[in-house]
Amino acid sequence: MIKKTLRLLYRSFECRLSEREQASLEQALERSPELRAEKERIQLQREMLSQGPASSFGPAFAERVMGRLDAAETGSNGWELFYTTLLMLFRRFAIAGAVALLLLLSYNLRLGDKLSSEEIFFASDATHEELKRLPLF
Amino acid sequence: MRTKLDDTSLIRKILDGDKHAFKEFIEKYESQVAATVIGMLGPGPEAEDIGQETFIRFYRALSRFRGESSVGTYVTRIAINLCLNEIRRRGRRRTLYVSNGEERLEAVAHKPGTEHQDESSRLVNLGLQSLDPKFRTVIVLRLIDGYTTRETARILKLPEGTVLSRLARGQQKLKEILAPLYKDEQPISRDGP
């Protein structure tokens, strides 16, 4: 079977062919029993497909979707509550920490005679041994 | 008893938070989504899972729905995208599309969930599941869901010419895949006497 004619045959199921194409296809169909059989096969296959595979997910599908949606919403609400609580809790610690750090920095700044990050953080010449001697350790 | 609402009223009610309206919407579009998803993935729990996910995604995206296409087309687009993702995920997990046609059919024929379907439906599923997804998608949308070639092209964001050629090639390939089964006359009653 000529590829071009076969392509024309498939196209004839989808769109209107031009008069010339239609005439050429009809001629080919008249001449070739093989092409006629192919046309029947295509028709049969298209019918089978249009009847399609199963078109249902089984009984109570809508209820299952609603259940899943409700569960997802409850779940997301639960997580939301957890994160909000966590955020509120840590916000207090974070604010307290930031205030303490600011106080420390201002204190160090007042003690030191120059404005550098080392002075501010009290880490100018401190060695490991000196740090160990500090009451903090 | 509630009267059936049209899509616009249903959407409005769903947006107002009416869960019954959403349930009605699911019942209205279940068969359409099922035909698309089962056509793409074959029957089974994975298909139902994707079906459920389709409606949940639709529900969550509804506020963004502009009405440029029909609701049915919008839902189908979600379903098709989820199916293609699932096929890609499956592809990474295991290769179903092996080179040998017989092996492909065997793989699908022994999938759970295909035993109790009627013959023609089984035959369609066998063929479809063995097709490359790019051909399967156009066949499902055009020949099973009944969208026009233009609508199919719009859903898949492809030129109409591409849809037409994939449709022709897909049908040819489907015929080749199903040929051994047609020849046997009792193609899929392999487990029968």
Side-chain angles (χ1 to χ4, degrees), chain B residues 102-119:
Chain B
E102 285 295 315
E103 280 177 49
R104 275 186 293 189
L105 290 175
E106 285 290 327
V108 181
H110 292 104
K111 268 183 85 176
T114 54
E115 274 93 20
H116 306 294
Q117 290 174 282
D118 61 80
E119 291 297 292

Side-chain angles (χ1 to χ4, degrees), chain A residues 6 10 14 38 45-46 48-50 53-57 61 63-66 68-70 72-73, chain B residues 19 23 30-31 34 38 47-49 52-53 60 123-125 142-144 149 164 167 171-172 175:
Chain A
L6 197 58
Y10 275 104
E14 288 303 317
E38 183 67 16
Q45 192 165 280
R46 287 172 74 99
M48 271 172 69
L49 284 165
S50 69
S55 56
S56 165
F57 290 115
F61 173 74
E63 281 80 4
R64 290 197 292 281
V65 178
M66 297 305 288
R68 186 162 153 182
L69 187 67
D70 287 341
E73 281 183 348
Chain B
K19 290 275 175 86
K23 192 169 169 247
E30 181 195 341
S31 62
I38 296 172
E48 162 151 3
D49 192 52
Q52 289 186 13
E53 189 63 27
R60 287 178 179 158
L123 209 61
V124 168
N125 271 321
R142 173 68 193 93
L143 301 178
I144 293 178
T149 38
L164 280 173
L167 199 56
Q171 285 179 90
Q172 276 174 299
K175 191 192 77 185

Side-chain angles (χ1 to χ4, degrees), chain A residues 45 48-49, chain B residues 105 120 122-130 171-184 187-188:
Chain A
Q45 192 165 280
M48 271 172 69
L49 284 165
Chain B
L105 290 175
S120 81
R122 280 183 57 160
L123 209 61
V124 168
N125 271 321
L126 283 171
L128 282 173
Q129 298 314 301
S130 307
Q171 285 179 90
Q172 276 174 299
K173 282 181 181 288
L174 195 59
K175 191 192 77 185
E176 286 163 22
I177 291 165
L178 295 179
L181 302 180
Y182 284 132
K183 271 182 211 159
D184 290 346
I188 25 198

Side-chain angles (χ1 to χ4, degrees), chain B residues 71-155:
Chain B
V71 184
T73 309
Y74 190 62
V75 178
T76 304
R77 193 176 291 144
I78 297 174
I80 281 286
N81 286 335
L82 287 174
C83 288
L84 290 172
N85 287 345
E86 173 64 18
I87 290 167
R88 271 192 284 271
R89 204 171 60 84
R90 279 182 186 180
R92 282 197 292 269
R93 252 185 1 219
R94 64 193 146 92
T95 310
L96 183 71
Y97 309 104
V98 287
S99 54
N100 186 306
E102 285 295 315
E103 280 177 49
R104 275 186 293 189
L105 290 175
E106 285 290 327
V108 181
H110 292 104
K111 268 183 85 176
T114 54
E115 274 93 20
H116 306 294
Q117 290 174 282
D118 61 80
E119 291 297 292
S120 81
S121 176
R122 280 183 57 160
L123 209 61
V124 168
N125 271 321
L126 283 171
L128 282 173
Q129 298 314 301
S130 307
L131 269 184
D132 184 300
K134 72 177 178 190
F135 298 123
R136 201 188 315 169
T137 317
V138 286
I139 287 191
V140 167
L141 290 176
R142 173 68 193 93
L143 301 178
I144 293 178
D145 290 350
Y147 286 106
T148 62
T149 38
R150 182 173 291 181
E151 286 167 330
T152 305
R154 220 173 274 165
I155 291 171

Side-chain angles (χ1 to χ4, degrees), chain B residues 27-38:
Chain B
E27 282 161 357
K28 185 173 179 182
Y29 283 98
E30 181 195 341
S31 62
Q32 186 185 316
V33 171
T36 307
V37 175
I38 296 172

